[in-house]
Amino acid sequence: MAKQLSLLIVNTSESERETIKHTLNSLEVFKFIECTDSQEAIHLLKSQSVDLIITGLNVGKIDGWRFARMIRSGLLKTPKNTPIVLIPPIYCERIAETTARSYSIDAVLPFEKHAQLPELLANVLSTHLEKSSRLDLLLLEPDPIQAKAICEHLEFSFACTVVNTPQDAYSIFLQKRFAIVLLNTTGNNYIENKQLVGNILEQEPNQAVVTIIDSKDADDAEQLLLMGVTDFIRAPYNLRILNKVCDHAARREDFMVSYAEFADKVSQLSQSERRYKDLFSAHQRILLHLNTVVMELDTESKIRFINPAWETLSGFGIKVSLGVSLNEFIHRDDQHKLNKQLAKVRSAEQKYAQLELQLTQKNGASVWVECRFQLIKNTTSAVTITATIDNIHERKQAELQLRHLALHDTLTGLHNRYYFDQQLQTLCKTMSEDSLSEHALLYIDLDHFKIINDSKGHQQGDIILKEVAQLFGHNIGDEHLIFRIGGDEFAVILKEVSLLDAHIIAEGICMAIDKHEFHSEENSFSISCSIGLTQITCENHDANESLKQADIALYIAKSLGRNLVHCYNKEDAENNTLQGGLEWGHAVRQALQNEKIELHYQPIWSFKHANIAYFETLLRLRVNDELIYPNQFIPALELLNDTFLMDQCVVKHAIKALSEHAELSQVAINLSAHSFLDERLLPHIQDCLVQYQVNPSRVIFEITESASINNLSATQTMIKKLNQLGCHFSIDDFGTGFSTFSYLKQLPAQHVKIDGSFVRDMLNDPIDLALVKAVNDISHSLDKHSVAEYVESKEIFDALKEIGIDYGQGYFIAKPQPIELLKKEISTILPEKTVA
């Protein structure tokens, strides 16, 4: 089941933490994690990440500001750009905004305004991006060399826009807001520059302006300051001092406004006693100008008093509304809910009620309001219901948006896995033993989508997924539910359909996708899908079992050739081979996800130097405490399209081993065709090299000849990127792809590994021997090293050495072993192979 968004609340006050949770609980979006101080929170974030953080200001020895700085350092497990909302007890807006910008806090909200949290969080989550704290600076500098030097020195604090004429400076100033304007007023254009200063300050009197002046122009400097220039620096100047002057000038406005705002709040407090004395006489005036609607209802819920805020909210006049039932202004979907609550208040079953409703305005539009009702009895025992109504439309829209994000896939707009689990469970629970209803579940997987995704890029893959989602919408009725449950997997819950009708719908989906042309920038192509179908009836209404049946049916559809629909039946349940294959695939995937892997290393022998040149990394998995080999698990991973997960684990653990074992001078890592063209691969390799501090030249990546020629252009690009990173590259199993030798010339690889099937029989088959020699000669002519596999005997070893092969690999040299065992036997490998 999909997880809710994890929200960390850091606050010393238990009551404030409970208030925050109560405010957000109704959204059913967040999973709450609570910490009483910042040090406890930092300790937690060292081991796990969260989606959002709400912190107080006084939260221990490390206050809220510095706690935010710790998050932004990138030293914790949670991403450094995790959204942070600060909730102080009181604040001055400008001071808070200025300080928040300095500490990269996303939003500040005083605790007294906690009711605005849903709207605030919706905005933060939907717009959260990597933010720059640099201030915008407009630079007028005619000398391009000097302009470049200034920009480079100021780039940490300022984002510079450079112009070289006063006319361009003023034009751009009118188009964009700048924190500071830096003008070089030296030289022959002094009059124009002075006029520019005047125009800027006339347009924006509070604009921070710094000028560069000639060292002897004291009078001119005085005039500029009198005009309103913030500061100046004399030429020639020191760039470090220029940076300091600009920083102080840019912040001056913040400090001045903050001080004024603070002084204003102090003044307000000093006048509170006088305002208290005037409070009684102001009650009527407040009522007239109050934004909240205040009304009285009689026993029939008719309006008998209402303030002017009603006309602003509803559009209806006060006179035409008096004597009319409040129910007449409420959306028909909410009228029953309103009548039910008012009846309870009138009967004194409850004295107070609060509910959210949609009010229909005079123009026909609906607006969300919050209504609060209270029962009041006067001295004559007459019943009166007082009501207050507030416009909460923006907050409600934010809540609905947040709820939509929690239940929908952001890419396709379809329902997500979390909502799928909810709906399937609900549907199955409503099925009783005597129910005549029939439903169906479709489990859909796009055939070979990862190949397109890898070769064309994830951006094109996302476009295809959006188009597929639209095709589903065109071919599936609105009464049914469509979900994207991950990657290229989808599910459909078909309600109130027979098995035959469900099968017809599924076949229609297959045909629609198969016939549709998907377009890229270069060409168009087609894809297909496989569908597993199972029926949900009174006899078969367990959600987990239904999902398992659809999964098995999908597995069979793939096994039968893909691009078809398979309906689950009893024979499938009794077919242990099929179920075993599917369960085996999931077991292998789980082993990789839990990193239950074991890497073995096989030495590669250098014939020229008579020593071990490097090692090939070979993967083994631990499944149910049993060591299994690639031929046992790779087919299952290919069927489940999870080879990238495998390669991801191998790359990480192999590079980690390089950092821990000096004996591993250099290792070769095999990559699958899918992973090699996956745009996530290169960043993953870079991250691992940085994390474990390994020199890239110690890593050789291998891909088979047949895989590399499938997309020669993409392969060339990827090899070049790996070479630029500092890694080496090898073509594995060369000779099996029946490609020409000219193909070798097109790939910037350093090694060519001759397929072992030629090496194994080279002493008995002259054709195989000729191929080995040919590959070796061509490799050398292209300045590449040759590597021979399957060196199984001393005779083959000696023959390869005589031919001039660079490297050899095989059981005669050494078997693959875990690094701990291999380190013990390295010393025994050398003497055996160096005997004359």
Side-chain angles (χ1 to χ4, degrees), residues 39-57:
Q39 288 177 281
E40 178 187 355
I42 291 172
H43 180 72
L44 179 136
L45 294 176
K46 287 179 181 178
S47 59
Q48 71 177 81
S49 64
V50 296
D51 297 306
L52 182 65
I53 298 172
I54 296 179
T55 178
L57 184 57

Side-chain angles (χ1 to χ4, degrees), residues 189-285:
N189 294 332
Y190 175 75
I191 296 176
E192 290 182 73
N193 291 330
K194 186 177 179 181
Q195 182 63 40
L196 172 62
V197 171
N199 291 339
I200 288 175
L201 293 175
E202 181 180 1
Q203 185 71 26
E204 183 55 65
N206 294 323
Q207 174 65 54
V209 179
V210 173
T211 59
I212 301 171
I213 65 172
D214 291 326
S215 58
K216 297 179 180 180
D217 289 344
D219 292 337
D220 291 336
E222 182 181 7
Q223 290 181 21
L224 288 170
L225 291 175
L226 290 173
M227 289 176 65
V229 168
T230 309
D231 207 342
F232 67 90
I233 186 167
R234 295 167 58 190
Y237 51 86
N238 182 292
L239 286 171
R240 182 179 61 81
I241 296 176
L242 176 64
N243 191 355
K244 189 173 183 180
V245 169
C246 290
D247 185 71
H248 286 174
R251 306 285 180 181
R252 172 174 168 267
E253 178 68 6
D254 283 333
F255 298 146
M256 294 181 66
V257 174
S258 299
Y259 178 81
E261 182 181 75
F262 183 74
D264 182 60
K265 288 186 178 291
V266 172
S267 175
Q268 291 175 21
L269 291 173
S270 66
Q271 298 173 15
S272 60
E273 184 177 358
R274 179 176 56 82
R275 290 202 305 269
Y276 178 76
K277 292 178 181 179
D278 295 338
L279 186 61
F280 180 79
S281 61
H283 274 177
Q284 187 62 31
R285 185 171 64 254

Side-chain angles (χ1 to χ4, degrees), residues 24-259:
L24 299 175
N25 255 333
S26 61
L27 301 179
E28 299 179 353
V29 170
F30 296 109
K31 173 186 176 183
F32 299 107
I33 305 171
E34 297 180 62
C35 288
T36 57
D37 66 39
S38 55
Q39 288 177 281
E40 178 187 355
I42 291 172
H43 180 72
L44 179 136
L45 294 176
K46 287 179 181 178
S47 59
Q48 71 177 81
S49 64
V50 296
D51 297 306
L52 182 65
I53 298 172
I54 296 179
T55 178
L57 184 57
N58 299 317
V59 287
K61 292 182 179 180
I62 300 176
D63 61 31
W65 299 118
R66 293 188 295 155
F67 173 63
R69 181 72 79 193
M70 188 70 179
I71 302 299
R72 297 296 181 239
S73 70
L75 298 174
L76 304 177
K77 185 74 173 178
T78 199
K80 66 180 181 181
N81 65 333
T82 301
I84 303 174
V85 175
L86 181 72
I87 299 190
I90 56 174
Y91 83 136
C92 292
E93 287 184 355
R94 187 58 176 245
I95 297 176
E97 291 171 1
T98 304
T99 314
R101 183 168 66 238
S102 299
Y103 284 85
S104 298
I105 288 176
D106 296 86
V108 181
L109 185 75
F111 181 78
E112 63 185 4
K113 297 183 179 180
H114 61 81
Q116 298 176 14
L117 265 177
E119 178 183 353
L120 179 70
L121 296 188
N123 183 56
V124 167
L125 288 172
S126 62
T127 62
H128 185 68
L129 299 169
E130 285 282 342
K131 293 183 176 65
S132 170
S133 60
R134 297 191 301 167
L135 300 173
D136 289 320
L137 179 146
L138 175 60
L139 171 62
L140 169 60
E141 175 54 71
D143 184 351
I145 296 176
Q146 189 61 23
K148 181 180 180 182
I150 292 174
C151 291
E152 289 177 352
H153 199 81
L154 301 183
E155 66 179 354
F156 181 77
S157 301
F158 298 95
C160 298
T161 301
V162 181
V163 294
N164 52 28
T165 68
Q167 294 77 14
D168 290 344
Y170 188 66
S171 176
I172 292 180
F173 173 80
L174 295 176
Q175 298 174 38
K176 181 179 178 181
R177 171 82 181 199
F178 291 90
I180 183 170
V181 176
L182 175 59
L183 307 175
N184 186 346
T185 62
T186 63
N188 299 324
N189 294 332
Y190 175 75
I191 296 176
E192 290 182 73
N193 291 330
K194 186 177 179 181
Q195 182 63 40
L196 172 62
V197 171
N199 291 339
I200 288 175
L201 293 175
E202 181 180 1
Q203 185 71 26
E204 183 55 65
N206 294 323
Q207 174 65 54
V209 179
V210 173
T211 59
I212 301 171
I213 65 172
D214 291 326
S215 58
K216 297 179 180 180
D217 289 344
D219 292 337
D220 291 336
E222 182 181 7
Q223 290 181 21
L224 288 170
L225 291 175
L226 290 173
M227 289 176 65
V229 168
T230 309
D231 207 342
F232 67 90
I233 186 167
R234 295 167 58 190
Y237 51 86
N238 182 292
L239 286 171
R240 182 179 61 81
I241 296 176
L242 176 64
N243 191 355
K244 189 173 183 180
V245 169
C246 290
D247 185 71
H248 286 174
R251 306 285 180 181
R252 172 174 168 267
E253 178 68 6
D254 283 333
F255 298 146
M256 294 181 66
V257 174
S258 299
Y259 178 81

Side-chain angles (χ1 to χ4, degrees), residues 296-305 323-326 338-339 341-348 374-378 380-386:
E296 285 187 2
L297 305 178
D298 62 18
T299 55
E300 297 179 352
S301 302
K302 292 181 179 179
I303 301 171
R304 65 184 186 191
F305 169 81
V324 180
S325 171
L326 175 61
L338 173 64
N339 291 334
Q341 288 296 325
L342 288 176
K344 289 182 178 181
V345 173
R346 268 195 305 270
S347 64
Q374 187 169 0
L375 179 67
I376 295 178
K377 289 187 177 181
N378 57 25
T380 60
S381 298
V383 175
T384 299
I385 296 178
T386 62

Side-chain angles (χ1 to χ4, degrees), residues 17 30 48 82 84 101 112 166 184 194 375 435 476 563 647 657 676 682 702 739 741 771:
R17 294 198 306 272
F30 296 109
Q48 71 177 81
T82 301
I84 303 174
R101 183 168 66 238
E112 63 185 4
N184 186 346
K194 186 177 179 181
L375 179 67
S435 175
I476 300 172
N563 195 20
D647 291 344
F676 189 67
L682 190 63
E702 294 187 1
S739 55
F741 284 121
L771 282 169

Side-chain angles (χ1 to χ4, degrees), residues 811-823:
Y811 278 14
F812 175 72
I813 298 169
K815 292 182 178 180
Q817 295 185 81
I819 184 61
E820 292 76 13
L821 297 177
L822 186 62
K823 287 163 68 171

